[in-house]
Amino acid sequence: MSLGSGPRELVVLGTAGAVPTRERNHNGYVLRWDGTSVLFDPGEGIQRQMLHAGVSSPRIERICVTHRHNDHCLGVPGVLNRMAQDRPGRPVTVHGPEDAFEHLRALAVVAQANVRVTVQGHPALDEEVPIADVAGSALTARALDHRVPALGYRLTEPGHVTFSRDALAAAGISGPDVGRLQREGELRGVRLEDVSTHRPGQVVAFVMDTRLCPAVGAVVRDADLAVLECTFAERDAHLATARGHLTARQAGDVAARAGVRTLVLTHVSARYDAAELGAEARTAVAAAGGTTTVHVAQDLDVVAVPPRVGRG
């Protein structure tokens, strides 16, 4: 069970590549996180998919777009209009690369929705850049390697320190001294790590269109849940490289080596059977000696963010 109000889970609204199919809508993913929601890469038709999935638009406070290709952002006007109908005048922030700023601003203007939209363009840098606070967790972005500037997003909950009562008593530390020890890291020869356990917070990562590059592993490192594209099978790796995408094998391998707990594969090309892509990713995880669970997403799936071991 996650902390805060409401579940921590990914609601999959669409899973297609550039061309939707009868079974797969264009992209769209909602991360429910402690009473708020972040919408990633809303393609066409996402407003209707939200109705099918039972997604409440008033909870969506941010829209994160990875890049300006239309299958990842043409749903923005419809979503903004839905927000205006459900709660007129509300604020919403749209994030994306600097390269996509004018494109995203135009989509917001076209919507003519009664919401207070702020469009933020972020530099595509080879390092994590903090862009927002989401219910006390840090949302960061980092450059990927697509045909146009693209960002990978990462949401990181702060870690928690849990004290051992027995260890504190044995060390003779109590009352205000406990807080002092936590702030300073050491008190009267007693180190913080001697009387406490650090529990890392949950991490969710989101990586869409990109070639394999070191930044992919950096964005998804130690993620409890990582969403990665898998547009091509490994037999078409040359097309993946040429068009700026990952293969399913690459996605599985990088997730396993980065310590991802649950990998959600999406952005599935109509040319493949999704089962083939899932099998390819699982084989790569096994070959890398990883323990990553692979889930090939279908439209309207709901995937829980795995709880950290020992979380209260």
Side-chain angles (χ1 to χ4, degrees), residues 246-261:
L246 296 174
T247 68
R249 187 200 67 77
Q250 290 170 339
D253 181 73
V254 73
R257 296 181 187 280
V260 171
R261 296 178 64 196

Side-chain angles (χ1 to χ4, degrees), residues 72-131:
H72 295 260
C73 61
L74 274 189
V76 167
V79 171
L80 293 179
N81 273 284
R82 179 69 194 188
M83 290 177 171
Q85 291 182 23
D86 290 340
R87 195 167 73 187
R90 56 160 298 182
V92 59
T93 302
V94 181
H95 299 276
E98 284 180 335
D99 172 79
F101 177 82
E102 293 298 337
H103 193 69
L104 295 175
R105 188 169 65 174
L107 290 173
V109 170
V110 165
Q112 295 186 330
N114 183 17
V115 290
R116 291 183 286 121
V117 183
T118 301
V119 178
Q120 294 186 358
H122 304 286
L125 301 178
D126 292 330
E127 59 181 320
E128 280 190 57
V129 177
I131 62 174

Side-chain angles (χ1 to χ4, degrees), residues 45 53 61-62 64 75 77 82 125 142 194 221 223 241 258 271 279 289:
E61 297 180 352
R62 299 182 186 278
C64 292
R82 179 69 194 188
L125 301 178
R142 179 172 179 149
D194 295 332
R221 71 186 185 282
T241 300
R271 74 180 70 196

Side-chain angles (χ1 to χ4, degrees), residues 11-16 20-29 46 49 53 266 296-302:
V11 182
V12 180
L13 302 176
T15 57
T21 70
R22 292 179 183 272
E23 294 78 27
R24 296 182 182 275
N25 195 84
H26 267 146
N27 279 290
Y29 313 85
I46 288 305
Q49 293 294 93
T266 187
V296 183
Q298 302 288 336
D299 286 18
L300 307 184
D301 280 352
V302 178

Side-chain angles (χ1 to χ4, degrees), residues 148-227:
V148 299
L151 297 175
Y153 293 100
R154 178 180 174 89
L155 186 64
T156 305
E157 177 189 35
H160 304 274
V161 173
T162 302
F163 284 99
S164 165
R165 292 181 180 179
D166 292 342
L168 286 172
I173 296 175
S174 62
D177 282 345
V178 176
R180 182 180 170 190
L181 173 62
Q182 185 167 5
R183 290 190 302 273
E184 299 178 5
E186 185 173 350
L187 181 65
R188 298 194 296 270
V190 178
R191 299 174 304 167
L192 179 62
E193 56 266 33
D194 295 332
V195 293
S196 67
T197 301
H198 180 265
R199 295 175 179 172
Q202 287 179 305
V203 176
V204 175
F206 188 82
V207 171
M208 279 293 108
D209 299 11
T210 182
R211 298 177 183 88
L212 185 62
C213 61
V216 176
V219 172
V220 305
R221 71 186 185 282
D222 298 324
D224 297 285
L225 183 73
V227 182

